[in-house]
Amino acid sequence: MKLLAALLAIVSVHPLGRSWQGRPITAYEVGNPNGTPVLVVGCIHGNEQAGIAIARALEHVAPADLDLWIVPVLNPDGVAHDTRANAHGVDLNRNFPWHWRPMTGVFASGPRPLSEREARIAHALILRLHPHLTVWFHQHRDMVWASGGNRRIEKVFARVSGLPYHPMPQLAGSAISWQNNALPGTTAFAAELPAGPATQIPRYVRAVLAAARTP
Ligand SMILES: [Zn+2]
């Protein structure tokens, strides 16, 4: 029965493209294609991998009211090498267009906005989906990093997940700041998990669904 539910839960698999080193980047769509669009990205910083297990768990829910898109890994080269950055040494979360500026070192922002394949893939997907809610999993600050989205939605996620809620600054070049500014009326935030492998995965699944259903 559980297996049957899991099989029924998969609506479709969308190959989005490949990383610089040729690794596939894939989205899984579950639920109702006519429902509220929601996006979850399990891992953008390759050395922050705890969200991948939560993303995988979300592939097995079948919300009748949500069009739930899941990208378990946006930065597969970073995961392969256990690095924050992609294979070009760029922090993908500083490569988005909102207030992009040149940065080097750990926050290297790339030669120009959307210079990186992986960032372009996410950018195109987000413009196509126009998600009501996007949850980006990070580590390991143990908080909801709320910066520019709908606070009611962010606080629902915080309450259900147990992650403390923190209003934080918007970040130049971040995916979340780009979304919250470029797509008014939508909400994106970072779920900063604690260090180590994910625990309480069902609780995060419930938190995503509860936040997604908050108008
Ligand atoms: Zn991160």
Side-chain angles (χ1 to χ4, degrees):
M1 197 61 204
K2 197 172 179 187
L3 177 63
L4 180 63
L7 290 172
L8 290 174
I10 293 291
V11 171
S12 46
V13 178
H14 302 270
L16 301 179
R18 288 182 181 271
S19 66
W20 286 125
Q21 293 184 334
R23 295 183 174 90
I25 297 171
T26 306
Y28 300 85
E29 181 188 13
V30 298
N32 176 357
N34 297 313
T36 304
V38 174
L39 174 63
V40 174
V41 180
C43 180
I44 179 172
H45 290 140
N47 60 349
E48 302 170 7
Q49 301 178 10
I52 299 171
I54 299 167
R56 293 290 179 199
L58 281 162
E59 292 170 18
H60 301 292
V61 301
D65 54 336
L66 304 176
D67 182 23
L68 178 57
W69 286 64
I70 302 146
V71 178
V73 179
L74 182 63
N75 181 8
D77 298 343
V79 169
H81 304 295
D82 197 25
T83 57
R84 175 183 177 90
N86 71 354
H88 285 176
V90 175
D91 181 342
L92 297 173
N93 206 33
R94 298 295 182 280
N95 192 235
F96 282 74
W98 187 79
H99 289 206
W100 180 92
R101 58 189 168 86
M103 287 183 268
T104 55
V106 68
F107 301 122
S109 58
R112 61 189 177 281
L114 300 176
S115 58
E116 304 309 301
R117 274 189 178 187
E118 299 88 352
R120 287 198 294 271
I121 284 170
H123 185 261
L125 177 65
I126 289 161
L127 289 179
R128 177 173 146 206
L129 280 185
H130 205 94
H132 166 66
L133 168 68
T134 305
V135 180
W136 294 81
F137 282 101
H138 286 262
Q139 286 183 284
H140 48 81
R141 289 168 173 263
D142 194 10
M143 64 154 89
V144 173
W145 178 302
S147 54
N150 180 323
R151 292 196 167 190
R152 194 171 62 241
I153 295 174
E154 295 162 345
K155 285 180 174 175
V156 166
F157 184 92
R159 177 169 49 76
V160 178
S161 70
L163 289 178
Y165 177 84
H166 286 282
M168 296 293 285
Q170 302 202 56
L171 298 175
S174 86
I176 288 166
S177 294
W178 167 70
Q179 287 187 256
N180 285 333
N181 287 281
L183 302 175
T186 72
T187 292
F189 62 81
E192 285 267 0
L193 300 167
T199 58
Q200 303 191 62
I201 290 172
R203 189 169 182 175
Y204 290 109
V205 169
R206 286 198 302 276
V208 168
L209 298 177
R213 288 170 173 142
T214 303

